[in-house]
Amino acid sequence: MNTLSNFSHFDTINQFVINMMMKFNQFFPTKFNWVLMILVILGLAVLLRLTLKLVLNRMKRWVNHTHSLLDESVVEAARKPINYFINFGAFIWICQTITQYHQIDWSGFLLEVWNLGVILLFGAFLLSLIKAFELNMIKRTKPKYDSTTIMAVGRLLRLSIVIIIILMIMQNFGFSISGVLAFGGVGGIAIGFAAKDLLANFFGGFMIFIDKPFRVGDWISSPDRQIEGTVENIGWRMTRIRTFDLRPLYVPNSTFMNIAVENPSRMLHRRIYENIGLRYDDINVIDKIVAEIKEMLYNHPDIDNQQTIIVAFDQFAASSLNIMVYTFTKTTAWVEFYVVKQKILLLIRDIVDRHGAEFAFPTQQLFVTQNPAGQDPAPQNLATMQKN
C-alpha cells in the first residue's frame, strides 16, 4: 500500500490529544473527553485555515512583483484545494476519534475515503493550476501567443489529468489498470461506431486548433452555408459564433471540415469598388475628371497607393457615362472603412462639381410626331400606337 494509505499519523495525533485530554479529567467527565477533542480538532482546523489565508495573501502580494506566471498560478490554484484539504483532514480525524472512543472498526472504510479524497483534491489542484496558468498566459502574453492555441493546450492537459485521476481512483478501489486498458482497446471500436458524430466533431475541433483557419474573435463566413459572425468560443464538440444580429450560432466542428470558410478578419485591406455615372453631356470633361480622381486617390492618406488603383472611363451605359473607381483602404476596421469611403465619395462629388458636370440618373426621351390638322394618323402608325 502506498503512503497515502498510511493512517499511523492519525493514530499518533489522536494519542497525543488523548494524553492532553486526560489531564482535564478532573474538570470534565470521562465520557465527554471525545467531544472536547472534536472541539479541539475543529479549533485547530479554523486556526490553520486562518494561518494559511494570511500566508497565501502574503504570497500573492509577493508573486505579483515577480512577474512569474507559474508562481501566480500556483498561489491562485492552491487556495481552494488547501482549504478543502484542511476540512477533509479534520473530518477524517474526527471520524477516527469517534471510532477510537466507541471501539468501532471503521479503519478500512476511512482508509478508502482518505485515499479517494486526497486523489480528488490533488486532481482539483492540478486542474485549477492549469486553468489559472491558461488565463494568466492569455492575459499577460496575448500579443505574443495565440489565445486559441493556449486554450487548446489547456483543454488537452485537463483532459489528461481527468483520465489519470480516474485511473488512480479505479486502482485505489482494486481495479486492474491493465485490464481496463485492454477493455478500452476492444470496446473502443464499438464506442467509435456508436459515437462517430461525437468523434468527428472532436477531430474537427482538433484540426481547427492545428490548422488555425480562425480563432476566437475572428469574423468568419461561409459561402457554402448561412454562417457568418464573430467566433466566441471553439470547443471540442462545437464552435459558438455570434451573428451580426447578436444571436448565438452553434456549429458542429465537423461542419468546418466539409465547407469553405472565409476569414475577413485577416484581410490586409478593404476595397472600394464603385461605378460613377455622369451625363452624356459631360463627355468632353470626363478625361479631366478621371485624371483628378486618380490623383486624389494617390495622395489621400487613407488610401494605400502601393495597391492597385484604377480610375477609368469604363462604359457607355444606357443613360450614363460610367467611371470605374477601384482602390484599397489602409484600414480593415469595418466602421472606419465606411468613414473613409464616405470621404472618398464626397471628394469625387466635389471634383465632378468643379468641372461643371453632373451625375446621371435613369432618363427617357419621348418624341411626339404631330400630323397636319384635321388628318388622321396613317393606318400603319395607328396600328403601331394601338399595339403599344
Side-chain angles (χ1 to χ4, degrees):
M1 190 68 67
N2 54 33
T3 55
L4 290 178
S5 303
N6 189 357
F7 254 88
S8 60
H9 57 286
F10 280 117
D11 296 334
T12 303
I13 296 175
N14 275 338
Q15 190 61 45
F16 172 75
V17 176
I18 290 172
N19 292 334
M20 292 182 59
M21 305 308 329
M22 296 299 292
K23 298 180 181 180
F24 297 95
N25 282 341
Q26 55 182 333
F27 302 104
F28 297 96
T30 305
K31 61 180 181 179
F32 292 121
N33 275 348
W34 65 277
V35 177
L36 184 58
M37 184 154 54
I38 290 175
L39 295 176
V40 172
I41 294 172
L42 294 176
L44 289 175
V46 172
L47 180 61
L48 186 57
R49 287 191 58 172
L50 293 175
T51 303
L52 287 174
K53 182 179 180 180
L54 294 175
V55 172
L56 290 175
N57 289 337
R58 184 176 294 273
M59 290 180 64
K60 185 176 181 180
R61 289 194 296 268
W62 176 72
V63 299
N64 287 336
H65 299 288
T66 63
H67 303 291
S68 173
L69 295 178
L70 183 59
D71 294 344
E72 185 175 348
S73 301
V74 169
V75 174
E76 292 178 6
R79 187 178 297 273
K80 286 186 177 180
I82 288 179
N83 286 328
Y84 291 149
F85 180 78
I86 294 173
N87 296 336
F88 179 68
F91 170 75
I92 295 294
W93 191 1
I94 290 173
C95 291
Q96 280 286 91
T97 302
I98 294 174
T99 57
Q100 185 172 358
Y101 268 97
H102 293 81
Q103 298 182 353
I104 302 174
D105 188 11
W106 282 4
S107 299
F109 173 73
L110 292 178
L111 178 64
E112 298 295 337
V113 174
W114 168 255
N115 288 338
L116 178 62
V118 171
I119 293 173
L120 290 176
L121 289 173
F122 182 68
F125 167 71
L126 292 180
L127 293 175
S128 299
L129 176 61
I130 295 172
K131 186 64 177 179
F133 189 79
E134 173 188 326
L135 295 177
N136 289 331
M137 196 169 185
I138 293 175
K139 181 173 62 176
R140 295 279 191 88
T141 63
K142 191 171 184 179
K144 186 176 181 180
Y145 297 103
D146 181 20
S147 59
T148 304
T149 303
I150 295 173
M151 289 189 293
V153 174
R155 288 192 179 101
L156 285 175
L157 291 176
R158 289 195 296 272
L159 179 62
S160 301
I161 294 298
V162 170
I163 294 175
I164 293 173
I165 294 300
I166 292 175
L167 293 177
M168 292 177 65
I169 292 174
M170 296 180 68
Q171 185 180 24
N172 181 68
F173 284 102
F175 290 95
S176 174
I177 299 300
S178 59
V180 172
L181 296 178
F183 174 77
V186 176
I189 300 175
I191 295 175
F193 280 109
K196 60 179 182 179
D197 292 335
L198 181 62
L199 292 176
N201 291 326
F202 176 82
F203 285 108
F206 182 73
M207 294 309 298
I208 291 174
F209 290 126
I210 296 299
D211 295 336
K212 300 178 184 177
F214 54 83
R215 60 184 180 182
V216 174
D218 282 357
W219 162 28
I220 65 171
S221 63
S222 173
D224 302 331
R225 300 284 185 89
Q226 293 182 351
I227 299 175
E228 186 172 16
T230 303
V231 179
E232 287 190 338
N233 181 63
I234 304 174
W236 287 117
R237 194 175 69 86
M238 64 177 58
T239 295
R240 186 177 72 247
I241 299 172
R242 184 70 59 175
T243 61
F244 292 135
D245 56 359
L246 302 182
R247 292 182 298 174
L249 178 64
Y250 299 92
V251 183
N253 289 333
S254 59
T255 303
F256 295 108
M257 301 177 66
N258 302 313
I259 63 173
V261 177
E262 294 180 354
N263 192 339
S265 297
R266 296 181 183 177
M267 67 175 71
L268 302 177
H269 307 276
R270 280 186 179 270
R271 184 182 67 174
I272 296 177
Y273 179 35
E274 295 291 332
N275 283 300
I276 310 298
L278 302 181
R279 302 175 305 171
Y280 271 85
D281 295 340
D282 303 322
I283 185 68
N284 294 327
V285 296
I286 198 168
D287 54 340
K288 298 179 181 178
I289 293 175
V290 167
E292 190 169 344
I293 293 175
K294 183 179 294 186
E295 181 182 1
M296 179 270 295
L297 292 177
Y298 270 104
N299 296 323
H300 198 283
D302 295 321
I303 298 298
D304 189 351
N305 55 23
Q306 301 300 317
Q307 303 298 318
T308 302
I309 296 180
I310 300 176
V311 182
F313 174 37
D314 181 51
Q315 185 183 19
F316 288 100
S319 58
S320 64
L321 303 172
N322 288 345
I323 299 175
M324 182 182 70
V325 177
Y326 185 95
T327 186
F328 291 88
T329 64
K330 294 180 179 179
T331 181
T332 60
W334 195 15
V335 176
E336 187 178 351
F337 163 75
Y338 280 102
V339 174
V340 173
K341 184 176 180 179
Q342 175 179 293
K343 293 179 181 178
I344 296 299
L345 294 179
L346 292 177
L347 288 174
I348 292 176
R349 179 206 60 186
D350 295 339
I351 293 172
V352 172
D353 290 345
R354 279 199 299 270
H355 289 84
E358 295 182 10
F359 294 102
F361 52 89
T363 58
Q364 291 183 345
Q365 290 183 335
L366 179 64
F367 297 94
V368 180
T369 303
Q370 295 183 353
N371 295 311
Q375 294 185 5
D376 295 331
Q380 64 272 18
N381 293 338
L382 180 60
T384 303
M385 293 174 61
Q386 291 176 347
K387 182 177 180 181
N388 293 335

